[in-house]
Amino acid sequence: MNLSMSGVVILGIIVFLFFRKDGLKGSHAVVTALFGFYLAGTAIAPSITAGGASLAGLLGGIKF
């Protein structure tokens, strides 16, 4: 499935506006899920995965 980066950017802007305007509702959750689904198919997905793993490792190493 191909989706241009501009489509991902547009969905990202929509998600941002949903959060800023009036919180996340059911229909907004669908758009957010679509954004995540299409973002996973872009070239930036490995960087996001590596960043998430790095953050998880950092948080996992904190001792209370």
Side-chain angles (χ1 to χ4, degrees):
M1 178 179 298
N2 292 332
L3 182 71
S4 66
M5 194 60 162
S6 62
V8 172
V9 171
I10 290 171
L11 284 173
I13 291 170
I14 291 170
V15 169
F16 175 76
L17 292 174
F18 283 159
F19 278 114
R20 294 278 295 172
K21 187 172 188 261
D22 53 5
L24 188 66
K25 297 180 182 171
S27 62
H28 301 161
V30 171
V31 173
T32 304
L34 285 173
F35 174 66
F37 178 77
Y38 288 123
L39 186 63
T42 64
I44 197 170
S47 299
I48 294 171
T49 302
S54 177
L55 180 62
L58 177 70
L59 294 176
I62 296 175
K63 306 230 182 208
F64 293 102

